[in-house]
Amino acid sequence: MTRSEAPGPATDHQYPDLVIVGGGIVGLATGLAAQSRWPGARILILEQEERVGLHQTGRNSGVIHAGVYYAPGSLKAQFCRIGAADMRAFCDANGIPHQTCGKLIVATEPGELPRMRALLERARANGIRIEEIAAEDARRMEPNIRSIGALLSPDTGIVDFGVVAARMAQIFTAAGGTIRTGARVTGGRETGAQVELDLGSERIRAGRAVFCAGLWADRLARAFGAPEPFRIIPFRGEYFRIRNQPADLVSHLIYPVPDPERPFLGVHLTRKMDGGFTVGPNAVLAGARDGYSRLRVSPRDMAEAVTYPGFWRMLARNAGPAMGELAGSVSKRLYLRKVQRYCPRVGLTDLTPYRAGIRAQAVAPDGRLIDDFLFARTPRTLHVCNAPSPAATSSLPIGRYIVSKLGDGA
């Protein structure tokens, strides 16, 4: 495709053809996909922080997911299966270290076995390599893990997604793209053949705009009249790094069988690319959209949450799990119990604080946690309204999907 066929070229040659708001891994992957589709187009990425990839991209478990958990036919399932292979290929091509260490999903109580086998069938329906492991075989594979049965996902891996994002940024700028950091978009509008973006006292015009704004996705979607009703509710995920344990504590990633009453996957034990292990995350309501510290509270963010009817309906739907997560956040001993269910050798003094993450959870007006990827369109903008895990794993096919939507006029 020639430059003149790029989506919505701006009339003034100083304007970019496409602006991407958000320099996380999805925004960067979208920039790469746009450059591939429209060589020579002027593409600008705006990132509010001083570096790319500082929010959800750089504050997660670092897992290249295989796609075990996702509903067959969902965007999650579709993106993840392609994305895992794409991510490994990208890392290999760019010399980025990664490991395909595999994952064990372990059952520790008889009541978990039916849920484990239902998960097995779901993974098979998604075409994912997976097998059931008897308890004695699981013990041989992981002597420090207690289980009465397990599933082995051999294609799950680990990587530092912050490193991946930094390399994407280098490739994007080397190909002629521009990244502006410290550029917070506060609103904007569509005016005929252009999009106007407000950056404080500055205004930028472009042919089209894609918003990969993560924790701020709902505010920017509302500013442009995007039709999907939702609100971002921030959940802090708290991690601990494990110390005082041998380097061979586990050779796989260790996950509990997920509880269908809880919206998240539970506290898991993860190998890290820099060595050692972490456990986490839990999921507790954050006091701010960037509330990585418990002391960080934003009156605006809290007001937007508590005045949203969907927030209270969400709490009503998940009252029991929410109290359990809060208890684990307040009490390190209660958090430890979640770990000791499958790894009893880890003790209280082995847990040292590790950086927290914030999950940008889209919540519908009826209180439903939106589980899949969610996109919304206006004539000249596309909004990534919900990009849950496995967004980092799936970033490359997500970027291509976004660009295809810009190009086909859908």
Side-chain angles (χ1 to χ4, degrees):
M1 179 173 283
T2 66
R3 186 199 167 284
S4 63
E5 295 173 291
T11 55
D12 188 310
H13 291 297
Q14 299 303 312
Y15 299 162
D17 301 303
L18 176 66
V19 169
I20 299 167
V21 179
I25 197 168
V26 172
L28 292 163
T30 302
L32 295 180
Q35 286 179 325
S36 177
R37 183 155 182 167
W38 302 300
R42 296 185 296 268
I43 304 171
L44 169 64
I45 295 177
L46 299 176
E47 167 54 45
Q48 68 178 6
E49 306 298 348
E50 296 307 313
R51 289 188 291 117
V52 299
L54 290 184
H55 288 288
Q56 293 180 106
T57 298
R59 290 175 171 267
N60 56 56
S61 297
V63 176
I64 302 175
H65 292 282
V68 172
Y69 302 98
Y70 314 127
S74 65
L75 288 173
K76 276 186 174 184
Q78 296 173 46
F79 287 150
C80 190
R81 186 175 179 183
I82 300 167
D86 284 358
M87 182 56 62
R88 288 192 291 268
F90 181 88
C91 291
D92 288 340
N94 289 279
I96 298 173
H98 67 100
Q99 300 175 18
T100 304
C101 50
K103 170 168 65 178
L104 279 183
I105 303 169
V106 298
T108 57
E109 299 174 358
E112 295 176 340
L113 292 173
R115 302 205 308 264
M116 185 187 80
R117 290 175 182 133
L119 192 60
L120 174 67
E121 295 308 312
R122 171 173 281 198
R124 286 174 172 168
N126 282 329
I128 304 303
R129 285 209 304 159
I130 196 165
E131 60 181 300
E132 185 171 357
I133 305 294
E136 56 270 24
D137 294 327
R139 281 193 293 272
R140 280 194 291 270
M141 294 172 67
E142 295 290 1
N144 293 315
I145 298 301
R146 182 177 72 86
S147 72
I148 60 171
L151 301 178
L152 172 63
S153 168
D155 296 326
T156 301
I158 56 173
V159 73
D160 185 333
F161 286 115
V163 174
V164 174
R167 180 58 183 144
M168 286 182 173
Q170 291 172 351
I171 296 171
F172 176 77
T173 54
T178 301
I179 299 175
R180 277 188 57 183
T181 58
R184 180 187 293 270
V185 176
T186 57
R189 64 209 55 83
E190 297 182 45
T191 59
Q194 296 176 353
V195 178
E196 294 182 350
L197 303 175
D198 297 330
L199 287 75
S201 59
E202 181 185 359
R203 180 170 294 169
I204 289 178
R205 295 178 176 88
R208 296 234 179 140
V210 171
F211 294 85
C212 304
L215 288 154
W216 294 271
D218 55 340
R219 291 177 184 168
L220 291 172
R222 289 198 303 273
F224 284 87
E228 289 289 346
F230 72 101
R231 183 69 54 87
I232 294 295
I233 304 296
F235 285 90
R236 186 173 60 253
E238 297 163 330
Y239 294 83
F240 289 94
R241 183 177 279 278
I242 295 178
R243 59 184 180 181
N244 307 323
Q245 295 292 340
D248 62 352
L249 174 66
V250 292
S251 58
H252 299 78
L253 313 182
I254 309 297
Y255 280 61
V257 174
D259 184 344
E261 298 299 316
R262 296 176 180 266
F264 305 125
L265 293 179
V267 171
H268 43 270
L269 196 163
T270 307
R271 297 170 56 88
K272 305 304 290 183
M273 287 303 303
D274 60 358
F277 310 91
T278 61
V279 289
N282 59 357
V284 295
L285 183 66
R289 298 193 183 202
D290 57 353
Y292 300 109
S293 164
R294 296 180 186 180
L295 301 178
R296 169 85 172 104
V297 176
S298 163
R300 179 184 179 185
D301 292 349
M302 292 300 295
E304 286 194 353
V306 302
T307 58
Y308 179 54
F311 171 79
W312 298 104
R313 292 169 184 147
M314 175 197 69
L315 287 185
R317 284 171 176 255
N318 300 281
M323 291 305 296
E325 294 293 306
L326 181 60
S329 175
V330 172
S331 169
K332 189 175 175 180
R333 290 184 181 276
L334 292 178
Y335 194 109
L336 177 64
R337 287 182 191 175
K338 299 178 182 182
V339 182
Q340 289 184 328
R341 289 180 63 233
Y342 55 80
C343 191
R345 72 172 288 157
V346 175
L348 196 64
T349 58
D350 298 334
L351 300 183
T352 186
Y354 189 71
R355 65 175 182 266
I358 301 286
R359 174 172 176 156
Q361 178 63 58
V363 178
D366 64 0
R368 175 176 50 90
L369 300 179
I370 298 173
D371 186 54
D372 206 357
F373 291 95
L374 179 66
F375 302 91
R377 288 293 308 272
T378 69
R380 292 198 165 271
T381 71
L382 187 148
H383 298 260
V384 182
C385 302
N386 194 47
S389 178
T393 297
S394 309
S395 53
L396 291 165
I398 293 170
R400 294 194 296 269
Y401 176 88
I402 290 170
V403 167
S404 76
K405 293 301 182 184
L406 288 177
D408 63 17

